[in-house]
Amino acid sequence: MNTSDFYYDLPEELIAQTPVMPRDSSRLLAFNIEEEKMEHRHFRDIIEYLEEGDVLVINETKVLPARLFGVKKETGAHIEILLLNRKTADVWEALGKPGKRLHIGDVVEFSPELSLVIRGKGEEGLIEVEFSYTGIFEEILDKLGQMPLPPYIKEQLGDQTRYQTVYAKEEGSAAAPTAGLHFTPELMQKIRDKGVDIVPVLLHVGLGTFRPVKAESIEEHHMHSEFYSVSADAAERINAARKRGKRIIATGTTSVRTLESSSDENGIVHAGSGNTQIFIYPGYRYKAVDALITNFHLPESTLIMLVSAFAGYENTMQLYKTAVEMKYRFFSFGDACFFHHPKK
């Protein structure tokens, strides 16, 4: 298939610039895959689609305030740094803008207590940087860093916690697992009270969030690598539910990639951690996921391809067309979809 097959026309005014309050008041487009039936609800209604014994898998990654603004020590030029991956205590893989102004050996200063030196340069703006600081790095980053909002969000975020899920725990992501932004603590408690097991896994969202698919044929796209982890307890709970005939419901494409990367051909999830470059597009056979909660995704992105592999290409593109017609809000702070089969 070609990348252009996943294009759809989206009016700019439908790109959500600010999050709704409360979180679970966002709209929900529920799609029954086998019946090809759409329902227009609100996210708080997701509980009506869940059954006792189901497993709701969430990604407990936490977004770093990874966007830093500084100046080159030598020239005073303004520089933006986006942290992507911590390689050692003080060495990071990052994106630097403007890349043409950055050279190995350059020093960028952010405050009297924080600076970095560029140790290496790679492709597509990637750089390796080493920090120098006075104090505790994480505390300095919390004070100076900004949330790495996607470039299509132009509004300033008044409350940085709105770009975190309410269950975010382990710092390491360069972007939020946005499907989880719709949950409130109260909604999660109602889901638990219904007998649904909420199981955490981990995938740190990385560079691929910012990398478009440039290849004409999707098979030629090089997928980025992301760190994931599944605990022994999580694997045991997921496998036990599947053995009982219950559904595994992934919250977001990050949970999907974690589950599909850690499962065998029989759908058994194995505990462990590592890096995954899994690229899911139509033709892929899902092994571990029975239902998917997700936001709407960019045209021609790997994420819309992942959804198409789950719900079917024609279904997915028709659903997106309907969402545009119904003026759903798109992308990070937008509305949600729930792709599911009839309840078991």
Side-chain angles (χ1 to χ4, degrees), residues 110-115 132-136 139-141 143-144:
F110 305 99
S111 75
E113 58 192 349
L114 182 68
S115 64
S132 298
Y133 48 90
T134 302
I136 299 173
E139 292 181 357
I140 300 171
L141 189 62
K143 182 171 68 173
L144 298 179

Side-chain angles (χ1 to χ4, degrees), residues 284-325:
Y284 179 87
R285 184 180 69 84
Y286 276 80
K287 301 169 291 186
V289 177
D290 301 306
L292 169 61
I293 300 169
T294 187
N295 283 19
F296 295 98
H297 302 296
L298 284 165
E300 302 183 338
S301 64
T302 60
L303 304 182
I304 194 173
M305 296 171 190
L306 180 152
V307 172
S308 296
F310 187 79
Y313 171 77
E314 298 292 344
N315 287 338
T316 300
M317 301 312 293
Q318 180 57 49
L319 182 139
Y320 271 69
K321 179 181 178 181
T322 299
V324 170
E325 293 171 350

